[in-house]
């Protein structure tokens, strides 16, 4: 009898091991916390299409919007930890809990890999009187409260980008009132229509307006000029500051997925990241590419959480 029990236990362990080894055995869902047609959605869809080839299973992209990103991030975190639901989490996960929108933070996920980062640019109307960032900052300082900015929700990444820069320059962030919007696109449209004066957002988000001759980029919040527009100066060149801010995207899963599944997903994602198809797609849209494996991504997000929390507190946006 004891021998029979031992054989059954061995068989059961073998079956479980085989199941893990064969992951994935069915389609995978990739949740995007932002709307269809945006940069996060586009990034998710190219990754999904290329990972399908590596994993030999369909990957279905599902947009779960609402709550300034809270709804989608919450859906990823609370999904079964079996590897059949993953998500593309964004920089907001290192910000939302600091402003009281959710209790979720980077530690509530299993990181798979960092795949993208897009620095903020400073954009004005093409007929704006401000020819460079120095002129713009001087005008904001001389006329507190008279100019407006937009490009995301209150306390969002682009709000933090310009508020942090003003703080860096010794100016009260309240000197440039923020008009909340549902993203960079409506913010840019409002600016072109004359509703606001400045939109700090990524270069790819402003690209169509720049190419249409309606918007000009004064500077980029990064150490290097943007590849799409190499003549756009850095803040270091314009103002002598190293202030920087970028939106980033990470493929992640619910906390607690099996180590074997995390390894399989990580291996497939690295092949996608290294592929010509992914690099060409991202370059064609001006999206920045940057890689970190699971361990590196965990450290990256933890640092971002600490740094963004400190900045939010410094500019009076943290709760």
């Amino acid at each position: 009898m004891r021998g029979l029990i031992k054989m059954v236990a061995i068989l059961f362990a073998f079956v479980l091991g085989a199941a893990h080894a064969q992951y994935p055995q069915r389609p995978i869902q990739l949740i995007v916390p932002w709307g269809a047609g945006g940069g996060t959605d586009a990034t998710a869809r190219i990754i999904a299409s290329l990972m399908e080839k590596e994993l030999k299973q369909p990957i279905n992209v599902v947009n779960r919007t609402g709550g300034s990103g809270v709804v989608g991030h919450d859906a990823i975190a609370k999904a079964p930890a079996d590897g059949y639901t993953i998500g593309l989490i964004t920089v907001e996960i290192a910000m939302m809990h600091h402003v009281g929108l959710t209790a979720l933070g980077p530690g509530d996920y299993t990181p798979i890999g960092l795949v993208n980062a897009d620095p903020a640019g400073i954009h004005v109307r093409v007929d704006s009187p401000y020819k460079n960032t120095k002129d713009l900052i001087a005008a904001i300082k001389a006329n507190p409260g008279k100019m407006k900015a937009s490009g995301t929700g209150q306390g969002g990444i682009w709000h933090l980008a310009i508020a942090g820069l003003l703080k860096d320059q010794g100016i009260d962030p309240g000197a440039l009132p923020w008009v909340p919007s549902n993203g960079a696109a409506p913010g840019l449209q409002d600016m072109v229509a004359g509703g606001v004066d400045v939109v700090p957002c990524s270069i790819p988000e402003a690209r169509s307006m720049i190419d249409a001759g309606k918007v000009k980029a004064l500077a980029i919040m990064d150490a290097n000029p943007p590849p799409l527009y190499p003549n756009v100066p850095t803040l270091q060149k314009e103002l002598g500051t190293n202030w920087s801010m970028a939106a980033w995207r990470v493929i992640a899963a619910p906390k607690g997925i099996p180590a074997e599944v995390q390894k399989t997903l990580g291996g497939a994602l690295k092949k996608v990241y290294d592929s010509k198809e992914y690099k060409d797609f991202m370059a064609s849209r001006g999206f920045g590419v940057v890689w970190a494996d699971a361990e590196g991504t965990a450290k990256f997000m933890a640092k971002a959480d600490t740094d963004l929390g400190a900045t939010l507190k410094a500019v009076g946006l943290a709760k």
Side-chain angles (χ1 to χ4, degrees):
M1 184 66 178
R2 188 174 297 173
L4 179 60
I5 293 174
K6 186 176 181 180
M7 288 180 62
V8 170
I10 292 172
L11 180 61
F12 185 65
F14 175 79
V15 170
L16 283 179
H20 282 309
Q22 292 168 9
Y23 169 86
Q25 297 177 310
R26 55 186 170 86
I28 296 168
Q29 177 179 245
L30 195 163
I31 296 176
V32 179
W34 307 100
T40 300
D41 179 68
T43 302
R45 291 181 186 277
I46 185 63
I47 289 173
S49 68
L50 296 174
M51 279 189 78
E52 284 183 343
K53 299 175 184 177
E54 299 297 331
L55 297 174
K56 314 300 183 190
Q57 288 287 350
I59 298 180
N60 304 311
V61 176
V62 178
N63 300 92
R64 294 288 301 275
T65 61
S68 298
V70 172
V71 172
H73 284 92
D74 186 69
I76 299 164
K78 292 182 178 177
D82 56 9
Y84 289 99
T85 297
I86 58 176
L88 188 60
I89 65 176
T90 57
V91 62
E92 284 77 12
I93 196 60
M95 301 170 63
M96 296 188 293
H97 65 105
H98 293 295
V99 298
L101 290 177
T102 178
L104 289 172
D108 293 303
Y109 303 87
T110 297
I112 305 301
L114 171 70
V115 293
N116 159 258
D118 293 314
I122 302 175
H123 304 95
V124 297
R125 286 186 301 277
V126 74
D127 61 352
S128 169
Y130 313 113
K131 304 304 179 186
N132 53 53
T133 311
K134 189 174 290 187
D135 290 346
L136 176 66
I137 295 295
I140 295 170
K141 186 174 184 178
N143 304 280
K146 292 187 178 180
M147 298 168 64
K148 297 177 182 178
S150 186
T152 188
Q154 183 82 12
I157 183 66
W158 303 140
H159 184 191
L160 186 57
I162 195 70
L165 174 61
L166 294 177
K167 187 78 173 178
D168 176 81
Q169 294 297 298
I171 301 171
D172 180 357
L176 183 65
W178 187 261
V179 178
S181 71
N182 288 323
L188 289 163
Q189 291 166 2
D190 192 18
M191 184 176 72
V192 170
V196 298
D197 305 277
V198 186
V199 173
C201 69
S202 71
I203 295 290
E205 289 174 309
R207 181 181 183 180
S208 62
M209 289 285 196
I210 294 173
D211 291 347
K214 297 180 179 180
V215 167
K216 61 182 177 182
L218 297 183
I220 189 167
M221 298 185 186
D222 193 42
N224 302 300
L228 279 176
Y229 308 105
N231 292 327
V232 173
T234 65
L235 286 181
Q236 175 62 44
K237 182 177 180 181
E238 288 277 280
L239 301 174
T241 178
N242 291 320
W243 172 258
S244 62
M245 185 62 64
W248 44 259
R249 301 177 176 107
V250 163
I251 293 291
K255 191 173 182 177
I257 65 170
E260 299 90 341
V261 173
Q262 182 185 21
K263 184 177 180 181
T264 297
L265 287 168
L269 183 62
K270 182 60 165 67
K271 289 181 180 178
V272 167
Y273 179 85
D274 288 337
S275 70
K276 184 177 185 299
E277 293 93 333
Y278 180 74
K279 297 291 177 59
D280 287 350
F281 177 90
M282 299 296 274
S284 71
R285 286 156 178 78
F287 295 157
V289 290
V290 57
W291 171 257
D293 62 12
E295 183 179 357
T297 299
K299 293 178 180 177
F300 173 88
M301 291 198 296
K303 184 177 187 302
D305 189 51
T306 299
D307 292 348
L308 290 170
T311 303
L312 282 162
K313 185 176 181 179
V315 300
L317 293 172
K319 296 213 172 176

